[in-house]
Coordinates of all heavy atoms in Angstrom, one line a residue:
M221 N 23.2 17.8 -8.0 CA 23.9 16.9 -9.0 C 23.1 16.9 -10.3 O 21.9 17.0 -10.3 CB 24.0 15.5 -8.4 CG 25.0 14.6 -9.1 SD 25.1 13.0 -8.3 CE 26.5 13.3 -7.3
Y222 N 23.7 17.0 -11.4 CA 23.1 16.9 -12.7 C 22.6 15.4 -12.9 O 23.3 14.5 -12.5 CB 24.0 17.4 -13.9 CG 24.4 18.8 -13.8 CD1 25.7 19.1 -14.1 CD2 23.5 19.8 -13.5 CE1 26.1 20.5 -14.0 CE2 23.9 21.1 -13.4 CZ 25.2 21.4 -13.8 OH 25.7 22.8 -13.6
V223 N 21.5 15.3 -13.6 CA 20.8 14.0 -13.6 C 21.7 12.9 -14.3 O 21.8 11.8 -14.0 CB 19.4 14.0 -14.3 CG1 19.5 14.6 -15.7 CG2 18.8 12.7 -14.2
D224 N 22.5 13.4 -15.4 CA 23.4 12.4 -16.1 C 24.5 11.9 -15.1 O 24.8 10.7 -15.1 CB 24.0 13.0 -17.4 CG 24.4 14.5 -17.2 OD1 24.1 15.1 -16.2 OD2 25.1 15.0 -18.1
N225 N 25.0 12.8 -14.3 CA 26.0 12.5 -13.3 C 25.4 11.5 -12.3 O 26.0 10.5 -11.9 CB 26.7 13.7 -12.8 CG 27.8 13.4 -11.9 OD1 28.5 12.3 -12.1 ND2 28.2 14.2 -10.9
A226 N 24.2 11.9 -11.9 CA 23.5 11.1 -10.8 C 23.3 9.7 -11.3 O 23.5 8.6 -10.5 CB 22.2 11.7 -10.4
A227 N 22.9 9.5 -12.6 CA 22.8 8.0 -13.1 C 24.1 7.3 -13.0 O 24.0 6.1 -12.7 CB 22.2 8.2 -14.6
M228 N 25.2 8.0 -13.3 CA 26.4 7.4 -13.3 C 26.9 7.1 -11.8 O 27.3 6.0 -11.6 CB 27.4 8.4 -13.9 CG 28.7 7.7 -14.5 SD 29.5 9.0 -15.5 CE 29.9 10.3 -14.4
Q229 N 26.7 8.0 -11.0 CA 27.1 8.0 -9.5 C 26.5 6.8 -8.9 O 27.0 6.1 -8.0 CB 27.1 9.2 -8.8 CG 28.0 10.4 -9.3 CD 29.4 10.1 -9.1 OE1 29.8 9.3 -8.2 NE2 30.2 10.6 -10.0
L230 N 25.2 6.6 -9.2 CA 24.4 5.5 -8.6 C 25.0 4.1 -8.8 O 24.8 3.3 -8.0 CB 23.0 5.6 -9.1 CG 22.0 6.5 -8.4 CD1 20.7 6.7 -9.1 CD2 21.8 6.2 -6.9
V231 N 25.6 3.9 -9.9 CA 26.3 2.6 -10.1 C 27.8 2.6 -9.7 O 28.3 1.6 -9.5 CB 26.1 2.0 -11.5 CG1 24.7 1.7 -11.8 CG2 26.5 3.1 -12.6
R232 N 28.3 3.8 -9.6 CA 29.8 4.0 -9.3 C 29.9 3.8 -7.7 O 30.8 3.0 -7.2 CB 30.3 5.2 -9.8 CG 31.9 5.3 -9.8 CD 32.3 6.6 -10.3 NE 32.2 7.6 -9.3 CZ 33.1 7.9 -8.4 NH1 34.3 7.2 -8.3 NH2 33.0 8.8 -7.5
N233 N 29.1 4.6 -7.0 CA 29.2 4.7 -5.6 C 27.9 5.0 -4.9 O 27.7 6.1 -4.4 CB 30.3 5.7 -5.2 CG 30.5 5.9 -3.7 OD1 30.0 5.1 -3.0 ND2 31.0 7.0 -3.3
P234 N 26.9 4.1 -5.0 CA 25.6 4.4 -4.5 C 25.5 4.7 -3.0 O 24.6 5.4 -2.5 CB 24.8 3.1 -4.8 CG 25.7 2.0 -4.9 CD 27.0 2.7 -5.4
G235 N 26.6 4.2 -2.2 CA 26.6 4.5 -0.8 C 26.7 6.0 -0.5 O 26.5 6.4 0.7
Q236 N 27.1 6.9 -1.5 CA 27.2 8.3 -1.1 C 25.8 9.0 -1.0 O 25.8 10.1 -0.5 CB 28.0 8.9 -2.3 CG 27.2 9.1 -3.6 CD 28.0 9.7 -4.8 OE1 28.2 10.9 -4.8 NE2 28.4 8.8 -5.7
F237 N 24.8 8.3 -1.4 CA 23.5 9.0 -1.3 C 22.6 8.6 -0.1 O 22.8 7.4 0.4 CB 22.6 8.6 -2.6 CG 23.2 9.0 -3.9 CD1 23.9 8.1 -4.7 CD2 23.1 10.4 -4.2 CE1 24.4 8.6 -5.9 CE2 23.6 10.8 -5.5 CZ 24.3 9.9 -6.2
D238 N 21.9 9.5 0.4 CA 21.0 9.3 1.5 C 19.6 9.5 0.9 O 18.9 8.5 0.6 CB 21.3 10.1 2.7 CG 20.3 9.9 3.8 OD1 19.6 8.9 3.9 OD2 20.1 10.8 4.7
V239 N 19.1 10.8 0.8 CA 17.9 11.0 0.1 C 18.1 11.8 -1.2 O 19.0 12.7 -1.2 CB 17.0 11.9 1.0 CG1 15.7 12.3 0.4 CG2 16.7 11.2 2.4
I240 N 17.5 11.4 -2.3 CA 17.6 12.1 -3.5 C 16.2 12.7 -3.8 O 15.2 12.1 -3.7 CB 17.9 11.0 -4.7 CG1 19.3 10.5 -4.5 CG2 17.8 11.8 -6.0 CD1 19.6 9.4 -5.6
V241 N 16.2 14.0 -4.2 CA 14.9 14.6 -4.6 C 15.0 15.1 -6.0 O 16.0 15.6 -6.4 CB 14.5 15.8 -3.6 CG1 15.4 16.9 -3.6 CG2 13.0 16.3 -4.0
T242 N 14.0 14.7 -6.9 CA 14.1 15.1 -8.2 C 12.7 15.2 -8.9 O 11.6 14.8 -8.3 CB 15.0 14.1 -9.0 OG1 15.2 14.7 -10.3 CG2 14.4 12.7 -9.1
G243 N 12.6 15.7 -10.1 CA 11.4 15.9 -10.8 C 10.8 14.6 -11.3 O 11.4 13.5 -11.2
N244 N 9.7 14.7 -12.0 CA 8.9 13.5 -12.3 C 9.6 12.5 -13.3 O 9.8 11.4 -13.0 CB 7.6 14.0 -13.0 CG 6.5 12.9 -12.9 OD1 6.8 11.8 -12.6 ND2 5.3 13.4 -13.2
M245 N 10.1 13.1 -14.4 CA 10.8 12.2 -15.4 C 12.1 11.7 -14.8 O 12.4 10.5 -15.0 CB 11.0 12.9 -16.7 CG 11.6 12.0 -17.7 SD 11.6 12.7 -19.5 CE 12.6 14.2 -19.3
F246 N 13.0 12.6 -14.3 CA 14.3 12.1 -13.8 C 14.0 11.1 -12.7 O 14.7 10.1 -12.6 CB 15.1 13.3 -13.2 CG 15.4 14.3 -14.3 CD1 15.7 15.6 -13.8 CD2 15.4 14.1 -15.6 CE1 16.0 16.7 -14.8 CE2 15.7 15.1 -16.5 CZ 16.0 16.3 -16.0
G247 N 13.0 11.3 -11.9 CA 12.7 10.4 -10.7 C 12.2 9.0 -11.3 O 12.5 8.0 -10.7
D248 N 11.5 9.0 -12.3 CA 10.9 7.9 -13.0 C 12.1 6.9 -13.3 O 12.2 5.7 -13.0 CB 10.1 8.3 -14.2 CG 9.3 7.1 -14.8 OD1 9.4 6.0 -14.2 OD2 8.8 7.3 -15.8
I249 N 13.1 7.5 -13.9 CA 14.2 6.8 -14.4 C 15.2 6.4 -13.3 O 15.6 5.2 -13.2 CB 15.0 7.6 -15.5 CG1 14.1 7.8 -16.7 CG2 16.3 6.8 -16.0 CD1 14.5 9.0 -17.6
L250 N 15.5 7.4 -12.4 CA 16.5 7.0 -11.4 C 15.9 6.0 -10.3 O 16.7 5.2 -9.9 CB 17.0 8.3 -10.7 CG 17.7 9.4 -11.5 CD1 18.1 10.5 -10.6 CD2 19.0 8.7 -12.1
S251 N 14.7 6.1 -10.1 CA 14.1 5.2 -9.1 C 14.1 3.7 -9.6 O 14.4 2.8 -8.8 CB 12.7 5.5 -8.6 OG 11.8 5.6 -9.7
D252 N 13.9 3.5 -10.9 CA 14.1 2.2 -11.4 C 15.5 1.8 -11.4 O 15.8 0.6 -11.2 CB 13.5 2.1 -12.9 CG 12.1 1.7 -12.9 OD1 11.4 1.8 -11.8 OD2 11.6 1.3 -13.9

Side-chain angles (χ1 to χ4, degrees):
M221 198 177 262
Y222 297 138
V223 62
D224 42 347
N225 188 24
M228 200 167 68
Q229 294 297 332
L230 276 170
V231 288
R232 201 182 72 87
N233 177 17
Q236 70 184 286
F237 297 102
D238 177 23
V239 178
I240 292 174
V241 62
T242 189
N244 203 345
M245 181 169 62
F246 299 156
D248 190 7
I249 298 163
L250 293 182
S251 56
D252 268 15

